[in-house]
């Protein structure tokens, strides 16, 4: 069953990884988790990760990028690049397996390159991973069987599957870079926890009159220090982060409902239609009205009917 437009996102930022082989000491780890206890935490680490989402839809956060995801969503993240996927769930729609991922270190890759010059072919791919790389669904469908085989193997067998996947991705020309900036390893665990609290609070309150002072108080910081801390931690200013969330939600409602643009403006947290329109054009390159018209054309099918939106 498809998620409803008004189904809330799960915004509990709690890390729950389900490691399929916790004692595995090989070069490439396979991990998986479900969406009944989803991986809902803004976090980063020193390893590369290749994520394949196989169930649920929702919001993805890669560095300073905010977008949507759905099944057969494939993303490669690099070291220290913060990331998170938040599923939109119906109560009667559990997903015991949502995310399949392969985790590996940069040191392992460098050791391989030292003895196998052919490994140089993945240099470009790994460089792109510093800002996050999203691949087309067709590529995800190609590599999904390899992921499932990796979940049932270990040792050299898994390594062969891993190299096959990397080789395929390194040849792919159709991809999207996500974050506008890469991230340095500046955060310790305590700082990451504070970022989690801040992002969690923003996700719960961005549709209301949220201020920087509100969030700073929530994490026990003075506003000026929090502003610098948030920019350093996420690569984006607080107000830009909030506005991106609001505009992203507005796009969903423009496409998925017939609500008036004015109503959507206030529902997503803006208190001024002129400011909403200005921010929307800045991020999307067109007005909300034009966005809705283009989206309607995109989803039109011969003989279909496009409901008329409410007039403003």
């Amino acid at each position: 069953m498809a998620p409803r437009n008004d189904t809330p996102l799960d915004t509990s930022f709690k890390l729950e990884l389900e490691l399929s082989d916790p004692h595995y000491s090989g070069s490439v780890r396979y991990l998986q988790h479900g969406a009944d206890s989803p991986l809902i935490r803004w976090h980063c680490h020193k390893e590369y990760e290749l994520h394949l989402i196989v169930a649920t839809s929702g919001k993805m956060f890669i560095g300073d990028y905010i977008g949507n995801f759905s099944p057969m969503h494939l993303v490669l993240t690099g070291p220290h690049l913060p990331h998170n996927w938040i599923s939109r769930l119906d109560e009667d729609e559990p997903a015991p397996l949502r995310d399949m991922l392969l985790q590996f270190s940069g040191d392992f890759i460098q050791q391989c390159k030292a003895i196998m010059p052919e490994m140089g072919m993945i240099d470009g791919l790994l460089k792109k991973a510093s800002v996050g790389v999203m691949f087309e669904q067709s590529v995800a469908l190609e590599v999904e069987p390899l992921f499932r085989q990796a979940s049932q193997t270990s040792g050299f067998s898994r390594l062969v599957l891993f190299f096959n996947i990397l080789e395929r991705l390194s040849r792919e020309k159709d991809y999207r870079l996500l974050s506008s900036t890469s991230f340095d390893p500046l955060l310790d665990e305590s700082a990451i926890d504070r970022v989690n609290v801040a992002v969690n609070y923003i996700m719960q309150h961005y549709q209301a009159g949220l201020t920087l002072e509100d969030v700073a108080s929530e994490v026990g910081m003075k506003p000026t220090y929090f502003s610098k801390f948030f920019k350093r931690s996420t690569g984006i200013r607080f107000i830009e982060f909030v506005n991106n969330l609001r505009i992203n939600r507005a796009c969903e409602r423009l496409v998925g409902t017939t609500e008036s643009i004015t109503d959507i403006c206030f529902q997503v947290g803006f208190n001024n239609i002129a400011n909403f329109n200005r921010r929307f054009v800045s991020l999307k390159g067109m007005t909300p009205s034009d966005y809705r018209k283009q989206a309607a054309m995109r989803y039109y099918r011969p003989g279909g009917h496009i409901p008329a939106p409410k007039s403003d």
Side-chain angles (χ1 to χ4, degrees), residues 62-74:
I62 309 293
D64 61 11
Y65 174 82
I66 301 170
N68 299 320
F69 74 86
S70 57
M72 289 299 104
H73 169 88
L74 182 65

Side-chain angles (χ1 to χ4, degrees), residues 140-158:
L141 288 168
E142 280 188 52
V143 302
E144 182 196 14
L146 301 181
F147 268 85
R148 296 196 181 275
Q149 291 177 54
S151 72
Q152 303 297 320
T153 61
S154 60
F156 188 72
S157 295
R158 180 180 293 173

Side-chain angles (χ1 to χ4, degrees), residues 175-186:
Y175 56 83
R176 178 174 182 177
L177 301 182
L178 300 176
S179 180
S180 65
T181 181
S182 57
F183 288 74
D184 294 322
L186 300 176

Side-chain angles (χ1 to χ4, degrees), residues 12-29:
S12 171
F13 279 75
K14 180 182 180 182
L15 177 60
E16 294 189 11
L17 267 180
E18 187 176 298
L19 181 59
S20 62
D21 47 3
H23 304 297
Y24 184 69
S25 58
S27 303
V28 179
R29 276 188 165 181

Side-chain angles (χ1 to χ4, degrees), residues 138-262:
S138 59
V139 180
L141 288 168
E142 280 188 52
V143 302
E144 182 196 14
L146 301 181
F147 268 85
R148 296 196 181 275
Q149 291 177 54
S151 72
Q152 303 297 320
T153 61
S154 60
F156 188 72
S157 295
R158 180 180 293 173
L159 201 58
V160 171
L161 293 167
F162 169 71
F163 285 143
N164 284 338
I165 293 172
L166 283 192
E167 192 273 337
R168 171 64 185 89
L169 298 184
S170 67
R171 291 188 286 105
E172 181 58 36
K173 303 299 183 183
D174 197 2
Y175 56 83
R176 178 174 182 177
L177 301 182
L178 300 176
S179 180
S180 65
T181 181
S182 57
F183 288 74
D184 294 322
L186 300 176
L187 300 182
D188 56 24
E189 190 63 30
S190 175
I192 292 173
D193 287 342
R194 282 190 166 186
V195 173
N196 289 333
V197 171
V199 174
N200 186 23
Y201 190 81
I202 293 169
M203 287 294 298
Q204 293 175 352
H205 297 90
Y206 73 92
Q207 292 170 300
L210 184 70
T211 67
L212 184 144
E213 287 75 16
D214 293 334
V215 186
S217 176
E218 186 71 14
V219 297
M221 293 182 181
K222 293 182 178 179
T224 301
Y225 180 80
F226 172 75
S227 178
K228 296 177 181 178
F229 168 80
F230 191 85
K231 175 65 165 64
R232 174 187 175 190
S233 302
T234 67
I236 187 172
R237 294 190 302 126
F238 167 80
I239 190 61
E240 292 173 331
F241 188 91
V242 173
N243 283 335
N244 285 358
L245 277 175
R246 289 171 172 168
I247 296 299
N248 194 276
R249 179 58 173 161
C251 289
E252 292 179 349
R253 302 200 73 80
L254 287 166
V255 173
T257 76
T258 58
E259 297 164 343
S260 72
I261 292 173
T262 299

Side-chain angles (χ1 to χ4, degrees), residues 66-92:
I66 301 170
N68 299 320
F69 74 86
S70 57
M72 289 299 104
H73 169 88
L74 182 65
V75 169
L76 176 64
T77 60
H80 311 295
L81 179 66
H83 52 275
N84 192 19
W85 285 260
I86 304 176
S87 291
R88 179 181 288 108
L89 297 172
D90 286 328
E91 292 182 1
D92 60 347

